[in-house]
Amino acid sequence: MKPIRYLFLTSIAAACAAFLVSCSTTQTSTQNKESMLVASGFKVITPKTAAQQQKLQQLPPGKVAMINRKGRTYYIFPDAAHNQAYVGRPKEYQTYLQMRTDKKLARESVETAEMYQDAEMQWGVWGGWGGGFGPWGPMGGPF
């Protein structure tokens, strides 16, 4: 009976840890997005009326929504948990998109560099250049 109980408790602990990590990742992701929005020129606004509060709650969470109002286009990122929204115009939205692209490219560059670094560290296992492999032969010369 004890092994089953241990397995059950271990499973619950693992599930709780996975949940906490996913919440932390989501929170960090949202904070990064909010930081980039502010850096792009988005303004933080707080709803002042019940109607504005209701509209804030209706926006898709975690996404930038495009709204047309009185012939003008606005981009809004809701933060209902803090009762605020990040609002920008097309210029700020384009800056935000460029920042996201730059950040993605930078992250991919780092990942690629790490991949190549890992590959270089394993090269010695194969003997490197002139170690008896390839066209140089065992003495380091051709053939």
Side-chain angles (χ1 to χ4, degrees), residues 11-126:
S11 299
I12 288 176
C16 289
F19 176 74
L20 290 174
V21 167
S22 69
C23 289
S24 173
T25 302
T26 302
Q27 184 177 12
T28 301
S29 174
T30 301
Q31 288 173 343
N32 287 340
K33 189 177 281 189
E34 291 169 352
S35 295
M36 283 196 303
L37 288 166
V38 170
S40 300
F42 277 65
K43 304 292 183 227
V44 180
I45 61 164
T46 304
K48 296 189 179 3
T49 67
Q52 290 173 340
Q53 179 66 35
Q54 184 180 12
K55 286 182 182 182
L56 176 65
Q57 296 294 331
Q58 292 173 347
L59 291 170
K63 296 183 179 183
V64 177
M66 183 179 76
I67 307 285
N68 287 311
R69 185 156 193 257
K70 297 182 181 178
R72 296 186 129 188
T73 302
Y74 297 94
Y75 293 89
I76 303 173
F77 180 81
D79 183 2
H82 296 104
N83 191 38
Q84 60 189 17
Y86 297 83
V87 180
R89 303 270 294 145
K91 177 184 172 191
E92 289 82 18
Y93 184 66
Q94 289 303 316
T95 303
Y96 166 71
L97 291 178
Q98 186 62 48
M99 287 179 75
R100 279 184 46 184
T101 301
D102 293 347
K103 185 175 182 179
K104 181 180 177 188
L105 290 172
R107 184 176 59 244
E108 288 173 356
S109 293
V110 167
E111 290 170 358
T112 301
E114 288 172 350
M115 181 180 69
Y116 283 121
Q117 181 181 14
D118 289 344
E120 286 178 7
M121 296 185 85
Q122 296 297 321
W123 184 247
V125 172
W126 296 96

